[in-house]
Amino acid sequence: GEETAKNLEKLQDKLPAFDTFQAKKIIKKEIGEIQYNNILELSEPIAAASIAQVHIAKIKDENENKVVAIKILRPGVEKAIFSDLKFFKWCANFLSSIDKEFAFLRLSKAVDIFEELTKNEMDLRLEAAAANELNENFKNDERFIVPKVYWELTTKRMLVTSWIDGIKINDLDSLRSEKYNIETITKNSAEAFFLQVFRDGFFHADMHQGNIFINSNGQIVPVDY
């Protein structure tokens, strides 16, 4: 139902954030003092999901000031998630042992797959690599823009990309008030996804509305790879 769906949307980017002072400590630890000094400004968290949160920052890059997005894993998130996974495995094994119907569902295998996916999601270098590949696949398509990855500032627990101003794809009132063509956006979004699946065999697997923005040129900008 709509009410439940609205509540679940909070998990996308509206969870309580950890404080910016702690974020600064994590950033300094991840990239070292010299690189940290190239960060000129750091905002309060602008989005906080279950695994990570995002800040806007201004950095010095090749003698220019650039605006970037910094995504940081939550402190202690790995320990919390793997504690949960351990419990899931116990539940799967227990249920499979007491009922043949549960054994038929292969719950233990499902938990193993979920564990592998979660491990990948908590290594932000893999996310950066996915962004690069998606960018390469669409480099000649002006309808679809992937933010630049700053590899020198990216680590296992921290991802830095160029900042993109845009309107969330489900904010129809704002899109209409700014005179965007909803039909064109819908068509381009569908085509972009089908190209990923059928042309490239490499697709953004979390294309919910919190991860898709429309920039001032009407281009589709995905985030969170």
Side-chain angles (χ1 to χ4, degrees), residues 133-177:
E133 184 164 348
L134 196 60
N135 180 59
E136 183 65 22
N137 291 343
F138 280 86
K139 65 182 180 182
N140 297 319
D141 192 329
E142 294 183 353
R143 301 171 299 175
F144 195 83
I145 302 295
V146 179
K148 171 189 173 181
V149 174
Y150 288 83
W151 281 101
E152 67 278 10
L153 298 174
T154 294
T155 69
K156 184 177 181 180
R157 298 183 56 82
M158 173 175 154
L159 170 64
V160 180
T161 63
S162 56
W163 173 255
I164 302 292
D165 279 317
I167 300 171
K168 279 188 182 180
I169 198 166
N170 67 323
D171 187 354
L172 299 182
D173 290 339
S174 295
L175 290 171
R176 289 189 180 109
S177 69

Side-chain angles (χ1 to χ4, degrees), residues 27-28 30-40 59-60 151-154 158:
I27 292 170
K28 187 179 288 189
E30 288 297 307
I31 60 176
E33 187 83 31
I34 295 175
Q35 289 282 28
Y36 179 79
N37 290 334
N38 287 326
I39 299 176
L40 308 176
I59 65 169
K60 187 184 292 183
W151 281 101
E152 67 278 10
L153 298 174
T154 294
M158 173 175 154

Side-chain angles (χ1 to χ4, degrees), residues 26-61:
I26 294 170
I27 292 170
K28 187 179 288 189
K29 182 179 179 182
E30 288 297 307
I31 60 176
E33 187 83 31
I34 295 175
Q35 289 282 28
Y36 179 79
N37 290 334
N38 287 326
I39 299 176
L40 308 176
E41 296 176 14
L42 186 72
S43 75
E44 294 297 314
I46 60 162
S50 51
I51 288 178
Q53 71 183 34
V54 177
H55 300 255
I56 304 175
K58 186 179 289 185
I59 65 169
K60 187 184 292 183
D61 179 54

Side-chain angles (χ1 to χ4, degrees), residues 5-161:
K6 288 291 183 184
N7 286 330
L8 289 171
E9 277 184 20
K10 296 173 186 174
L11 295 173
Q12 295 169 359
D13 57 10
K14 294 183 178 66
L15 290 177
F18 59 91
D19 65 72
T20 304
F21 176 76
Q22 195 170 15
K24 289 179 179 179
K25 287 175 64 177
I26 294 170
I27 292 170
K28 187 179 288 189
K29 182 179 179 182
E30 288 297 307
I31 60 176
E33 187 83 31
I34 295 175
Q35 289 282 28
Y36 179 79
N37 290 334
N38 287 326
I39 299 176
L40 308 176
E41 296 176 14
L42 186 72
S43 75
E44 294 297 314
I46 60 162
S50 51
I51 288 178
Q53 71 183 34
V54 177
H55 300 255
I56 304 175
K58 186 179 289 185
I59 65 169
K60 187 184 292 183
D61 179 54
E62 298 177 353
N63 297 319
E64 289 186 45
N65 292 346
K66 303 281 180 67
V67 180
V68 298
I70 299 183
K71 179 177 180 178
I72 311 166
L73 290 187
R74 287 180 175 276
V77 68
E78 296 97 336
K79 183 178 179 181
I81 285 179
F82 288 114
S83 174
D84 288 345
L85 283 166
K86 190 175 180 181
F87 176 65
F88 294 163
K89 287 182 179 181
W90 182 89
C91 289
N93 291 330
F94 175 72
L95 291 170
S96 299
S97 70
I98 64 172
D99 192 316
K100 288 183 179 179
E101 289 189 13
F102 282 116
F104 178 75
L105 291 173
R106 302 176 69 195
L107 295 177
S108 296
K109 180 65 175 176
V111 174
D112 288 342
I113 292 170
F114 180 64
E115 180 178 27
E116 189 62 32
L117 292 171
T118 305
K119 283 180 181 177
N120 289 344
E121 192 170 350
M122 289 190 293
D123 187 342
L124 298 184
R125 296 168 301 186
L126 295 177
E127 181 173 342
N132 264 14
E133 184 164 348
L134 196 60
N135 180 59
E136 183 65 22
N137 291 343
F138 280 86
K139 65 182 180 182
N140 297 319
D141 192 329
E142 294 183 353
R143 301 171 299 175
F144 195 83
I145 302 295
V146 179
K148 171 189 173 181
V149 174
Y150 288 83
W151 281 101
E152 67 278 10
L153 298 174
T154 294
T155 69
K156 184 177 181 180
R157 298 183 56 82
M158 173 175 154
L159 170 64
V160 180
T161 63

